[in-house]
Amino acid sequence: MNNLSTLRSLDQSLPLSEKMPVLFLGHGSPMNAIEENEFVSSFRKLGKEVAKPKVILCVSAHWETRGTKVTAMQNPPTIHDFGGFPQALFDVQYPAPGSPEMAQETKDIITKTEVELDHHWGLDHGAWSVIKHMYPDADVPVIQLSLDYTKDPQYHYELAQQLERLRHKGVLIAGSGNVVHNLRRVAWQKLNDTYAWDWAQEANDKMRNFILDGNHDALIHYHKQGSSFAMSIPTPEHYLPLLYTLALKDKKEEVELFNDKTVGGSISMMSLRIA
């Protein structure tokens, strides 16, 4: 199928709707799935404020692959991709349906790379631990788009831009990660407290300013931003979902920050809505 035919097919199969916002959700500890705190309250409030989507497309820090994949099963399993937590967390199930049709649409709309339809992954905690608070009835289909760990930030930003059309089709696109995420430097005794190491606070403040100023180039090339960024982003997987969110902002849209606090010294819960 050529590109023109593909676009016509997309327009026919996905009716136009009011443009959906795009989100970045700082998911933090998996325990946020079952605990009550200010971050969870904000996710719950967000679910009431945003128009109910037809489908959620989530880019989670916790699904890294060689190449790009999108979940395409009808009933994605709830993945408990962590260890050392209470049994109550492992007992959580989030039985949201998938959307094979939207997975195919996503595959078709991305021309930057060949996207593989995946029938094995499901919903990892980067997705369900936050989405369950927004839509507790699990009545909105959810698909996940993986992060290709072989590619650089510029590549991810440009790939994300190709998802823009889906925002007009009732799809809520959400990146899920943490802009500051260094587990080796976590002050575990302060994990439930608002507390940041100096370098984490410096990086978080700079990121906030770059985001609000629309300086996406600085955020894409975060390796050039000095030692505080190097400490805050020792590996890229929790940071890259932010770029998927920012790449979808148009010039007329506003950025709203929420949950802009750092816990345990080295995990920023900064989240944002673009609309």
Side-chain angles (χ1 to χ4, degrees), residues 7-176:
L7 292 177
R8 286 174 176 167
S9 174
L10 287 172
D11 284 335
Q12 291 171 356
S13 59
L14 282 171
L16 289 172
S17 64
E18 183 177 347
K19 187 176 184 180
M20 294 296 294
V22 61
L23 310 174
F24 175 76
L25 304 174
H27 64 246
S29 167
M31 288 299 291
N32 286 322
I34 59 175
E35 291 181 341
E36 283 295 327
N37 54 47
E38 61 182 302
F39 309 121
V40 166
S41 295
S42 293
F43 296 144
R44 191 174 293 122
K45 180 173 179 284
L46 184 64
K48 295 176 180 178
E49 294 175 348
V50 173
K52 192 171 185 178
K54 296 176 182 176
V55 178
I56 297 169
L57 187 158
C58 182
V59 181
S60 165
H62 293 279
W63 192 25
E64 294 183 276
T65 57
R66 178 178 289 276
T68 301
K69 300 183 181 185
V70 61
T71 53
M73 68 284 288
Q74 187 63 57
N75 299 109
T78 303
I79 301 172
H80 300 89
D81 51 332
F82 42 69
F85 290 95
Q87 184 60 41
L89 187 58
F90 290 91
D91 290 341
V92 175
Q93 295 292 316
Y94 189 70
S99 177
E101 298 80 11
M102 184 57 66
Q104 184 65 52
E105 301 289 1
T106 302
K107 173 181 170 65
D108 290 342
I109 210 168
I110 294 174
T111 60
K112 190 170 180 64
T113 187
E114 181 68 25
V115 177
E116 178 184 340
L117 296 178
D118 178 87
H119 297 274
H120 304 288
W121 187 244
L123 301 180
D124 60 55
H125 82 271
W128 62 260
S129 71
V130 286
I131 296 173
K132 75 179 289 288
H133 296 301
M134 296 177 63
Y135 303 104
D137 294 332
D139 55 351
V140 178
V142 183
I143 63 175
Q144 284 196 221
L145 185 69
S146 73
L147 292 169
D148 184 345
Y149 63 80
T150 71
K151 303 299 185 182
D152 62 22
Q154 183 72 50
Y155 176 93
H156 288 284
Y157 185 88
E158 292 174 0
L159 187 151
Q161 290 177 316
Q162 296 193 322
L163 301 173
E164 198 275 338
R165 178 183 290 267
L166 299 182
R167 295 184 64 191
H168 300 272
K169 305 287 186 174
V171 180
L172 178 63
I173 299 172
S176 177

Side-chain angles (χ1 to χ4, degrees), residues 219-240:
L219 292 161
I220 292 168
H221 299 99
Y222 67 88
H223 288 106
K224 298 180 180 180
Q225 304 307 323
S227 61
S228 67
F229 274 63
M231 291 285 288
S232 298
I233 314 169
T235 56
E237 77 286 340
H238 276 76
Y239 180 82
L240 290 174

